[in-house]
Amino acid sequence: NPNLTLEFRIEPYSEQQFLVVVRDVSEVRRLENMRTQFVSNVSHELRTPLTVMRGYLEMLEPNSVNPAIWPRAHRTLTEQSKRMESLVNQLLTLARIESGSQFANHELIPVSELLSLLSDQCDSLICERELKLSYDVDEGLEVFGNREQLLSAILNLSSNAIKYCETPGEILISWSQTDTGSEFLVRDSGPGIEPVHLGRLTERFYRVDDARTRDAGGTGLGLSIVKHILAEHNSVLEIESTVGFGSCFSFELKKPVAEYKESSTDLPIR
Ligand code: ADP
């Protein structure tokens, strides 16, 4: 088994005998590798904008500065510092989610409230790009969960659709009732994703096309945050995509058990 790592240790047992202790350390090594990989990814992601910023700061040296570069320097320094800020914010979100400290406050939330907050943010992300964004929501729908986290999950999925959709393009955001709860869905007419990438999209820092997604302002952490949030809500992210036609990201939130029992005709409660 290529994934198996064994550690051998020889210990004295008696005057003429030794014990050979064999320990399976595969899981320990796997976690160590993941941690090293993570630190190396974070360092790389932070170093790139820092290098660009340092270059511009050197050009702004008071004795030699050419005023013609000010507008470009200002734009680049703003962009790169925003990029670092969003990366650090996403890392903090991931750390908070993983420590599990966030999820105490689960409550019943009207879907209309979440979507109204979402649409305010989506409108500002679309800016003047030629994208048609529509909403389709079942009236009176409520979900049980953590308000801040659910908003973060639907915002991540919707902002990806906006970021990666080519113009002119269409995006549909829907939240509808299902037999067992409700389903949130974002469908875009963007470039689509090759099947080979689909299973890895929720890994930290995984990007389909590094250069393109970095240009789009991506950090590669969004979907991994969504995955964690959904796990805390007993849900999973479903992804369907066809290259050249677009992608669809969705998840279902189950009704709280008591409510499910009350509304189910098959399960009489005594
Ligand atoms: P990022 O911050 O780079 O967007 P994510 O974790 O949110 O990171 O997404 C991972 C990768 O999945 C992105 O870099 C992008 O390549 C791909 N991706 C996500 N959503 C879409 C989409 N709607 N259309 C095409 N590609 C997408």
Side-chain angles (χ1 to χ4, degrees), residues 95-106:
R96 273 207 307 269
I97 293 171
E98 282 180 345
S99 73
S101 57
Q102 291 248 74
F103 291 97
N105 298 332
H106 277 224

Side-chain angles (χ1 to χ4, degrees), residues 136-261:
D136 183 5
V137 187
D138 281 351
E139 249 176 64
L141 211 54
E142 288 183 318
V143 287
F144 187 70
N146 178 295
R147 183 182 297 265
E148 190 197 330
Q149 294 308 317
L150 285 179
L151 182 60
S152 161
I154 62 177
L155 182 60
N156 263 303
L157 298 176
S158 311
S159 66
N160 274 353
I162 295 171
K163 257 191 314 199
Y164 298 115
C165 207
E166 284 144 2
T167 54
E170 288 188 23
I171 297 168
L172 169 71
I173 295 178
S174 94
W175 209 323
S176 55
Q177 186 134 23
T178 62
D179 290 345
T180 45
S182 68
E183 184 192 51
F184 174 83
L185 172 157
V186 190
R187 188 189 303 282
D188 67 62
S189 64
I193 304 160
E194 306 241 14
V196 63
H197 300 292
L198 293 182
R200 301 196 59 194
L201 289 184
T202 56
E203 285 176 21
R204 292 169 184 180
F205 295 110
Y206 190 83
R207 297 173 174 120
V208 172
D209 172 345
D210 244 18
R212 196 167 56 129
T213 54
R214 197 169 281 135
D215 284 351
T219 59
L221 288 173
L223 292 181
S224 110
I225 290 176
V226 172
K227 182 176 93 173
H228 277 82
I229 292 174
L230 294 184
E232 291 294 332
H233 289 79
N234 295 321
S235 179
V236 285
L237 183 63
E238 307 280 346
I239 311 174
E240 285 169 28
S241 192
T242 312
V243 173
F245 286 94
S247 311
C248 179
F249 290 74
S250 64
F251 61 84
E252 189 189 23
L253 289 182
K254 298 261 190 280
K255 279 185 215 170
V257 177
E259 196 190 333
Y260 178 60
K261 280 189 180 159

Side-chain angles (χ1 to χ4, degrees), residues 59-80:
M59 283 193 260
L60 292 176
E61 164 71 44
N63 298 330
S64 62
V65 65
N66 169 1
I69 71 154
W70 283 346
R72 205 171 70 188
H74 180 263
R75 198 176 57 240
T76 311
L77 288 171
T78 311
E79 266 167 19
Q80 297 299 321

Side-chain angles (χ1 to χ4, degrees), residues 11-70:
E11 290 181 1
Y13 184 63
S14 65
E15 271 188 18
Q16 278 119 25
Q17 289 174 305
F18 289 92
L19 264 184
V20 178
V21 182
V22 183
R23 204 159 66 101
D24 177 0
V25 289
S26 317
E27 186 58 13
V28 179
R29 290 283 184 277
R30 195 182 66 81
L31 291 175
E32 274 171 9
N33 285 343
M34 269 176 65
R35 202 170 42 228
T36 313
Q37 185 69 43
F38 179 66
V39 171
S40 131
N41 281 335
V42 172
S43 316
H44 177 78
E45 290 301 321
L46 288 173
R47 200 177 52 189
T48 313
L50 273 176
T51 311
V52 178
M53 288 165 79
R54 244 231 348 247
Y56 271 95
L57 287 172
E58 274 166 19
M59 283 193 260
L60 292 176
E61 164 71 44
N63 298 330
S64 62
V65 65
N66 169 1
I69 71 154
W70 283 346

